[in-house]
Amino acid sequence: MLIFHLGPLASSLFSLLAILALVLSFVMLGSHWLKNHVYAFSAESWVIAAISASIGYYGHYPELYLIAALSALFRGTLLPYLVLRLVKRLNINREFTPLLKPSSSMLLGAALVIFSYEVARRLGIALNLADNIAVLALTCMFSLKLIGFLMMILRSEAISHILGLLVIENGIFLGSQIIVPGMPALLELVIIFDLVTIVMAFGMLVRYLQSHAGTTSSRGLQKLVG
């Protein structure tokens, strides 16, 4: 729960940043170019880092400054760099076999946001969360998680699956920063380092698939099954 009262300026700032993070996830849904996905994820991570720093300032949680700096460094810089390096090595620039067109994907994403809002609103009523920021944070958290799942379902390239997983984790991180700002900093640090490990492991797996199976597309791999 939010454990500090926000003024109008802070509420507007958090609302703007949370909505901006959500909009950036739609940039990923609306494009088939992998580099656009990575840049949007990087920008989304920087926005979430800004949310952490803002909560640290307004809520008097000095440990969140460290979390914000590490988020910007790892989520916003190192992880996108590793994924871009992978994209360059594999020489795969875009999704060639998505299940839906970008416009249809964005419409489906919008439906998921509406569904997330309804779930967040009902949850807010059940938990007596009168603060609109809490409902907005829950909406963004559920929306990012569902959009991340959507990317993993609709896209076939392994790199898109990695980014979908990272978007899901960004959603969890965004919600926890606003709703439970006192979450132990050590746990946040473990999650960040786990993400780096996961991306590196995925990177090695994708390169192995490319060299031994000749494709990193999940549909291409299904065709190899006898």
Side-chain angles (χ1 to χ4, degrees), residues 55-66:
I55 293 173
Y57 176 77
Y58 287 105
H60 307 293
Y61 294 100
E63 67 272 17
L64 288 185
Y65 293 129
L66 174 63

Side-chain angles (χ1 to χ4, degrees), residues 112 115-116 141-151 168:
L112 291 177
F115 172 75
S116 299
M141 180 178 71
F142 292 142
S143 298
L144 288 180
K145 290 171 69 175
L146 291 176
I147 287 173
F149 278 121
L150 192 63
M151 287 177 62
I168 291 172

Side-chain angles (χ1 to χ4, degrees), residues 25-138:
S25 66
F26 274 85
V27 174
M28 293 186 231
L29 277 180
S31 174
H32 287 164
W33 295 98
L34 295 177
K35 285 187 177 179
N36 291 349
H37 297 177
V38 180
Y39 292 144
F41 169 75
S42 177
E44 183 182 87
S45 299
W46 276 89
V47 169
I48 292 175
I51 290 175
S52 297
S54 301
I55 293 173
Y57 176 77
Y58 287 105
H60 307 293
Y61 294 100
E63 67 272 17
L64 288 185
Y65 293 129
L66 174 63
I67 297 298
L70 289 176
S71 295
L73 177 64
F74 284 95
R75 293 170 185 269
T77 306
L78 180 60
L79 292 180
Y81 168 74
L82 292 175
V83 178
L84 278 176
R85 192 176 169 188
L86 194 58
V87 169
K88 187 176 180 181
R89 285 197 176 188
L90 296 176
N91 196 26
I92 301 172
N93 294 318
R94 59 168 295 177
E95 279 278 348
F96 289 103
T97 55
L99 280 178
L100 293 177
K101 294 179 180 178
S103 56
S104 302
S105 300
M106 292 179 72
L107 282 176
L108 189 53
L112 291 177
V113 172
I114 294 172
F115 172 75
S116 299
Y117 171 73
E118 185 60 24
V119 171
R121 189 182 65 81
R122 291 175 182 269
L123 192 59
I125 294 172
L127 297 176
N128 294 320
L129 293 175
D131 199 319
N132 290 329
I133 290 294
V135 176
L136 177 63
L138 286 172

